[in-house]
Amino acid sequence: MSRSAHPAGPRHADVLPEGHYSAPPADLNTLDGKVWAQTVTRNADGVLTVGGVDVVTLAEQHGTPAYILDEADFRGRARAWRTAFGNDADVFYAGKAFLSRAVVRWLHEEGLNLDVCSGGELATALSAGMPADRIAFHGNNKSTEEIRRAVESGVGRIVLDSFQEIVRVAHIAQSLGKRQRVQIRITVGVEAHTHEFIATAHEDQKFGIPLADGQAAEAVRRALQLDGLELIGIHSHIGSQIFDMSGFEVAAHRVVGLLKVIRDEHGVELPEIDLGGGLGIAYTSDDDPREPHEIAKALTEIVTRECEAARLSTPRISVEPGRAIVGPTAFTLYEVGTVKPLDGLRTYVSVDGGMSDNIRTALYDAEYSVALVSRASDAEPMLARVVGKHCESGDIVVKDAFLPSDLAPGDLIAVPATGAYCRSMASNYNHVLRPPVVVVHEGESRVVVRRETEEDLLRLDVG
Ligand code: LLP
């Protein structure tokens, strides 16, 4: 029988094709707390609620697709990181994961610092009142203009990424009559166990200055000679979505090794080390992330131990979590447009967004979960692939997941753990409009980043 002649498609778990998925869960209505924002639950009617607001109301008020962000969860996670590291360390939220003025205000209030890596992120941070001295400025190719603005506004640190940049920042600071606090980013040669595109500490890549062949030590030597710079520490970021702490252990060992070389050569003990971000979150029930207090304990112990062995006083530690704070706090709410069963394969569920609001599946082969959220269903599970509305077959949001087989156009489905690197990497591909970010808190919802409009698109098109 041809596929088109068999519209019922693969409804049953006993005719599953090969794929990267576990067996269907016993109950598709159960929401795994690991992957959903903290205040998420289902109400008596089976509708998902978050921050005390149900998703049917959210869809009516704000439309779909929309990123729905749980403020209490964001603040709770930010506070947990801050508390875990205590007063002897600094937590810099990595704004690249997701940045908006509301987020900046929450971070400020919860006592976190902020890592930015472009003029746009810096402008957002300053416009929302983050004190400049609590901002770190990153990037492997900061423009002269970006450096000048960062120095002028008084950012707490600039993380230097190349030999040219050491000189560039020193000159700009000097020309402004300032001495800029800086760190040097080094690559420690660690292979982080994550996707190649988001691993950053092996040597053959664009970030940082290699520790190998004494290059990092030479960078330190030059930075110490320049009047425009106050070298406060060494920076290492080994990658992203990492669960295994051993990479951090090796990185800390090698960074402390460099501090020792610096002490021996220059008689200077640099006061800070930054171990970057990169801690993984749960995208599916198979992921088991660590809690901030476990991470803080592990990192502090590693650095203290390494420093004792090198007879150095322990430097102040900073970390830069992005995903681990914002990732789990949001989900993307979509409306189902079409349901297309393909016999012997899977059912394609098309939603009103796609790779323009979540490029991670196409780019990193990322795995996500999904649930029917506008109602409960006792229908049998069907193997589904959630796809977008873009003109590309790689436009996949969730590759393999189980949804109830009575799923129909008009149902709302939600993809959890989309708080990090989804809105911040969203595009206008096919001139699809980028969705809003809606914050829910204590029974209220409000838009913090509005939906893009066709006027927004046409305003840029000045030809
Ligand atoms: N610090 C530095 C210097 C970084 O480059 C990054 C991320 C972070 C901190 C924060 O890492 P996190 O804690 O969020 O893992 N677009 C990719 C991730 C790219 C990460 C880039 N740098 C993704 O969607 O997985």
Side-chain angles (χ1 to χ4, degrees):
M1 187 183 283
S2 77
R3 272 176 203 159
S4 56
H6 188 22
R11 296 288 192 205
H12 305 284
D14 54 348
V15 289
L16 296 177
E18 284 206 1
H20 198 190
Y21 48 84
S22 324
D27 177 7
L28 288 175
N29 299 312
T30 307
L31 300 166
D32 183 348
K34 259 202 305 195
V35 296
W36 291 92
Q38 209 184 4
T39 68
V40 163
T41 176
R42 272 190 203 270
N43 68 17
D45 297 329
V47 181
L48 184 145
T49 74
V50 55
V53 191
D54 75 80
V55 290
V56 173
T57 305
L58 287 169
E60 276 165 14
Q61 286 179 351
H62 304 288
T64 56
Y67 304 103
I68 311 293
L69 199 160
D70 180 349
E71 177 177 343
D73 195 15
F74 186 102
R75 285 182 181 271
R77 287 176 198 273
R79 207 173 304 143
W81 276 84
R82 183 78 205 90
T83 313
F85 279 88
N87 291 330
D88 298 330
D90 297 302
V91 181
F92 286 77
Y93 168 77
K96 66 205 82 187
F98 172 65
L99 197 64
S100 77
R101 290 201 264 210
V103 159
V104 174
R105 286 192 297 271
W106 301 337
L107 294 166
H108 188 189
E109 286 166 15
E110 300 298 340
L112 275 76
N113 301 346
L114 178 60
D115 141 11
V116 299
C117 66
S118 70
E121 289 186 359
L122 178 63
T124 305
L126 293 173
S127 80
M130 179 58 87
D133 63 355
R134 281 170 50 188
I135 298 176
F137 197 81
H138 270 279
N140 68 301
N141 188 17
K142 308 164 189 80
S143 72
T144 306
E145 175 54 21
E146 285 174 324
I147 295 169
R148 197 182 54 73
R149 274 165 58 202
V151 175
E152 258 177 355
S153 60
V155 298
R157 65 175 66 154
I158 294 181
V159 182
L160 303 172
D161 199 87
S162 65
F163 281 93
Q164 282 100 345
E165 203 173 72
I166 292 173
V167 176
R168 212 171 277 161
V169 173
H171 280 168
I172 291 171
Q174 230 177 346
S175 71
L176 293 168
K178 296 209 181 198
R179 189 149 187 255
Q180 178 61 49
R181 286 158 62 85
V182 295
Q183 293 187 338
I184 294 178
R185 176 164 176 178
I186 67 166
T187 43
V188 292
V190 169
E191 293 287 341
H193 299 289
T194 187
H195 192 281
E196 180 196 352
F197 292 176
I198 50 176
T200 55
H202 53 293
E203 274 143 13
D204 185 3
Q205 51 112 354
K206 71 170 185 167
F207 292 110
I209 299 176
L211 191 59
D213 305 330
Q215 292 189 63
E218 177 58 21
V220 168
R221 217 167 282 138
R222 294 198 198 170
L224 286 172
Q225 283 164 3
L226 293 167
D227 291 339
L229 305 181
E230 179 189 348
L231 181 62
I232 58 166
I234 300 296
H235 183 285
S236 154
H237 170 75
I238 59 172
S240 201
Q241 186 58 5
I242 298 167
F243 291 107
D244 181 356
M245 294 299 286
S246 61
F248 290 96
E249 184 148 5
V250 178
H253 172 74
R254 294 188 184 165
V255 170
V256 172
L258 179 61
L259 294 183
K260 185 166 178 292
V261 168
I262 297 167
R263 193 262 326 268
D264 294 345
E265 192 176 327
H266 306 281
V268 179
E269 288 200 21
L270 296 184
E272 296 193 15
I273 85 173
D274 190 317
L275 293 172
L279 283 312
I281 62 163
Y283 284 101
T284 73
S285 297
D286 295 337
D287 295 326
D288 282 309
R290 290 177 181 233
E291 295 295 322
H293 67 266
E294 294 174 80
I295 295 160
K297 186 166 178 284
L299 291 183
T300 310
E301 276 175 11
I302 295 165
V303 174
T304 308
R305 191 182 63 226
E306 293 292 332
C307 287
E308 273 168 11
R311 295 179 197 282
L312 284 163
S313 40
T314 308
R316 190 173 177 86
I317 300 174
S318 43
V319 286
E320 299 172 336
R323 188 193 317 265
I325 292 178
V326 70
T329 68
F331 59 81
T332 315
L333 185 62
Y334 299 104
E335 184 178 307
V336 173
T338 67
V339 178
K340 192 185 287 182
L342 295 186
D343 194 17
L345 294 169
R346 53 178 58 73
T347 297
Y348 279 77
V349 174
S350 293
V351 293
D352 46 358
M355 66 195 298
S356 55
D357 60 69
N358 188 349
I359 190 66
R360 298 193 68 261
T361 307
L363 193 55
Y364 312 120
D365 219 3
E367 286 179 38
Y368 281 94
S369 323
V370 62
L372 168 62
V373 291
S374 48
R375 61 186 173 92
S377 167
D378 293 328
E380 276 182 72
M382 66 174 178
L383 181 63
R385 176 162 289 177
V386 180
V387 295
K389 59 182 286 159
H390 295 276
C391 302
E392 196 157 321
S393 53
D395 172 23
I396 296 169
V397 180
V398 187
K399 211 169 173 184
D400 292 302
F402 289 94
L403 281 166
S405 53
D406 62 352
L407 193 76
D411 279 332
L412 298 175
I413 62 174
V415 174
T418 57
Y421 304 110
C422 287
R423 180 60 181 80
S424 67
M425 293 174 76
S427 77
N428 287 122
Y429 184 36
N430 296 139
H431 282 202
V432 168
L433 306 168
R434 285 179 292 177
V437 179
V438 177
V439 166
V440 286
H441 191 51
E442 296 179 346
E444 306 279 341
S445 70
R446 66 183 205 280
V447 175
V448 297
V449 179
R450 71 161 168 77
R451 184 183 303 283
E452 217 159 20
T453 62
E454 289 175 3
E455 291 75 59
D456 290 329
L457 291 185
L458 292 172
R459 203 172 299 141
L460 296 177
D461 187 336
V462 294

